């Protein structure tokens, strides 16, 4: 026997329990939150995102941040393919992110907080410096650095520069430092730093307190105290004519059917330093579709012209001072007094030196860039320094000797090179190891390397490929971070695992805002 189900109302909806609403629809299940998306689905979506949107997705919520590995640290790599575009080869994500293409004639002399410091050699022989954010395609043209023919080896600058608020410093000679602030018409070149005989500047690191710490090859440290930053309108902003396009290192968008490149013409004899025209690149090897190569070289001879000695005044830089790090203790630099034996002798054989801050402490990173050597110590005995052996020394201001070697970094890792040196708590971050020093060099001279302080050996990093063809040649420039700042919020490790023990970890500003919002919701 078939039983019939009675129908109520108009047959479309069951009778509502509320007589006042005769035909109310059935209540539908609530939508699931975006934070509840499966982790594997999020990863597949993240694989299709560029670096800008990938970092934004990680800052959306804690669940997405746990599912998507952090994009930093990464290696800034230029692949030798047809486009000559830089890539960010991310170690945690095991993938490469393509960055904004740059016109030819550029070389990278610094990196910090997602920005690059580029040196551009003009056809006239002059050189200009540009701060570029390749993710946001934003650039800041710095005033001219006019000086006699010297090397410019490294440029450091404020973590978040703006056209009306920035500061930068550079090594422009073996014993000279130059700096520039927003609103100035040119760089200020400081008087030669007092160094010991045969010593020279080798590294600089910028801190958030407006101090630039400078290191020499012998291990001496000097502090450049920059003037207080304030927002200032660029001095040459009003001189730019409306019909003249400003100079740019970014490649303009081109039609899909034909790829052209732009390059700067020779300087026009105008007062405005920023005014440059662009012309289309001429035929190259009888094929106009082949773009010009982006040049990121380690060293380039840069010709400068002389300029009047005045570097302060209206529309120029406020005065800055340079003083030795040990001046407060009235201790002159002497390796025999500042370094314990045998490192007072080893200091002269470790030519590659870098400075880095970690947990508020200042460290020196020494590397033997030559072959293995065996030193005869003055006190007797020998000290063998292997090729690419790295020593990490911590600064103790109240001790003598004030620098001493450490064997453990408390789970942190250091990233040194042409970038503004970065320290990062690496435990729990995919693809990284704690108590290591990440550097660039090796037998290939341009590959990412990692030195394990426990084993005392260096091995190549497992960097992801940067082109479609496996083994395609490329050039590694420096370490690339979206942020060089450490945060007290334990974002990645605390939300995904409990192995960090409340330590500080690398964190982007977007991720910090997401953590704050999550804490307020909870």
């Amino acid at each position: 026997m078939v039983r019939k189900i009675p129908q109520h109302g108009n047959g479309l909806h069951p009778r509502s329990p509320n007589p006042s609403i005769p035909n109310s629809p059935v209540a539908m299940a609530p939508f699931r939150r975006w934070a509840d998306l499966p982790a594997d689905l999020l990863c597949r979506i993240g694989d299709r995102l560029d670096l800008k949107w990938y970092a934004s997705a990680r800052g959306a919520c804690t669940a997405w941040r746990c599912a998507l590995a952090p994009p930093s640290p990464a290696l800034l790599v230029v692949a030798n393919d047809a486009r000559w575009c830089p890539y960010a080869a991310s170690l945690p994500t095991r993938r490469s992110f393509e960055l904004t293409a740059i016109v030819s004639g550029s070389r990278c002399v610094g990196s910090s907080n997602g920005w690059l410091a580029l040196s551009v050699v003009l056809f006239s022989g002059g050189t200009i410096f540009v701060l570029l954010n390749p993710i946001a395609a934003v650039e800041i043209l710095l005033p001219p650095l006019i000086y006699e023919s010297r090397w410019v080896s490294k440029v450091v600058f404020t973590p978040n520069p703006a056209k009306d608020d920035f500061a930068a410093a550079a090594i422009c000679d073996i014993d000279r430092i130059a700096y520039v602030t927003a609103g100035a018409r040119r760089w200020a070149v400081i008087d030669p730093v007092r160094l010991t005989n045969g010593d020279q500047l080798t590294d600089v690191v910028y801190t958030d307190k407006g101090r630039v710490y400078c290191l020499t090859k012998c291990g001496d440290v000097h502090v450049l105290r920059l003037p207080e930053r304030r927002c200032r309108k660029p001095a040459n902003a009003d001189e730019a004519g409306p019909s003249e396009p400003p100079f740019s290192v970014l490649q303009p968008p081109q039609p899909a059917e034909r790829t052209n490149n732009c390059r700067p013409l020779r300087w026009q004899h105008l007062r405005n330093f920023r005014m440059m025209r662009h012309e289309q690149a001429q035929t190259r090897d009888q094929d106009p579709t082949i773009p010009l190569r982006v040049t990121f070289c380690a060293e380039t001879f840069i010709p400068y012209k002389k300029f009047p000695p005045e570097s302060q005044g209206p529309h120029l830089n406020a005065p800055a001072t340079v003083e030795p790090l040990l001046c407060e203790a009235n201790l002159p630099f002497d390796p025999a007094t500042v370094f314990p034996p045998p490192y007072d002798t080893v200091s002269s054989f470790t030519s590659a030196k870098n400075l880095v801050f970690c947990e508020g402490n200042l460290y020196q990173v020494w590397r033997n860039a030559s072959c293995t050597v065996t030193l005869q110590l003055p006190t007797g005995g020998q000290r063998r320094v292997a090729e690419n052996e790295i020593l990490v020394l911590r600064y103790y201001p109240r001790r003598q000797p004030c620098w001493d070697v450490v064997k453990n970094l408390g789970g942190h890792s250091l990233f040194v090179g042409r970038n503004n040196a970065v320290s990062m708590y690496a435990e729990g971050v995919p693809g990284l190891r704690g108590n290591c020093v990440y550097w660039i060099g090796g037998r290939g001279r341009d590959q990412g390397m990692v030195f394990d302080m426990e084993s005392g050996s260096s091995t190549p990093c497992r960097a992801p490929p940067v082109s479609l063809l496996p083994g395609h040649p490329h050039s590694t420039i420096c370490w690339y971070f979206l942020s060089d700042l450490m945060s007290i919020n334990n974002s990645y490790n605390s939300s995904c695992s409990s192995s960090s023990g409340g330590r500080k970890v690398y964190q982007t500003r977007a991720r910090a805002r997401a953590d704050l919002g999550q804490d307020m919701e909870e």
Side-chain angles (χ1 to χ4, degrees), residues 251-467:
Q251 289 185 358
Q254 301 293 337
E257 61 272 9
R258 181 171 179 175
T259 302
N260 292 327
N261 234 348
C262 289
R263 65 180 182 182
L265 275 171
R266 295 180 180 272
W267 281 107
Q268 307 297 326
H269 297 286
L270 300 175
R271 292 180 58 192
N272 183 12
F273 190 81
R274 302 180 62 185
M275 303 309 300
M276 294 193 69
R277 296 177 180 269
H278 289 78
E279 65 175 359
Q280 291 187 353
Q282 301 297 327
T283 303
R284 190 176 182 86
D285 297 333
Q286 306 301 324
D287 188 355
T289 63
I290 299 179
L292 295 177
R293 175 175 178 175
V294 179
T295 304
F296 286 94
C297 55
E299 295 178 342
T300 298
F301 185 78
I302 303 176
Y304 293 94
K305 298 179 180 180
K306 293 183 178 181
F307 71 98
E310 295 80 8
S311 58
Q312 286 86 33
H315 299 298
L316 294 176
N317 302 277
T321 59
V322 178
E323 58 186 18
L325 178 64
L326 304 178
C327 65
E328 298 179 357
N330 197 23
L331 295 175
F333 177 76
D334 183 4
T337 59
V338 299
F339 302 126
Y343 304 108
D344 54 343
T345 305
V346 175
S347 64
S348 60
F349 289 89
T350 50
S351 58
K353 289 184 172 68
N354 295 94
L355 280 177
V356 59
F357 277 89
C358 180
E359 292 286 288
N361 300 310
L362 182 61
Y363 292 85
Q364 289 192 33
V365 179
W366 297 357
R367 179 171 61 88
N368 177 23
S370 61
C371 60
T372 301
V373 295
T374 302
L375 307 177
Q376 299 293 336
L377 303 179
T379 58
Q382 297 178 344
R383 175 59 162 89
R384 183 178 181 271
V385 184
E387 180 184 2
N388 290 328
E389 180 179 349
I390 290 181
L391 302 174
V392 180
L393 295 89
R394 178 179 171 180
Y395 176 59
Y396 297 92
R398 298 182 180 180
R399 293 186 187 179
Q400 190 176 0
C402 56
W403 293 95
D404 200 0
V405 171
V406 296
K407 301 296 184 181
N408 190 288
L409 295 172
H412 288 79
S413 287
L414 310 179
F415 297 82
V416 297
R418 203 172 303 166
N419 56 288
N420 197 54
V422 178
S423 63
M424 174 179 176
Y425 189 73
E427 185 177 350
V429 180
L432 296 187
R433 291 182 288 169
N435 299 316
C436 292
V437 177
Y438 288 80
W439 55 283
I440 294 176
R443 296 188 179 276
R445 311 306 299 174
D446 64 350
Q447 61 178 329
M449 304 289 292
V450 52
F451 177 83
D452 193 314
M453 298 181 63
E454 182 177 355
S455 63
S457 60
S458 292
T459 56
C461 292
R462 298 180 56 190
V466 296
S467 61

Side-chain angles (χ1 to χ4, degrees), residues 21-36:
I21 307 178
N23 295 319
S24 62
V26 177
M28 300 181 64
F31 288 103
R32 298 181 61 183
R33 301 185 307 167
W34 286 104
D36 297 333

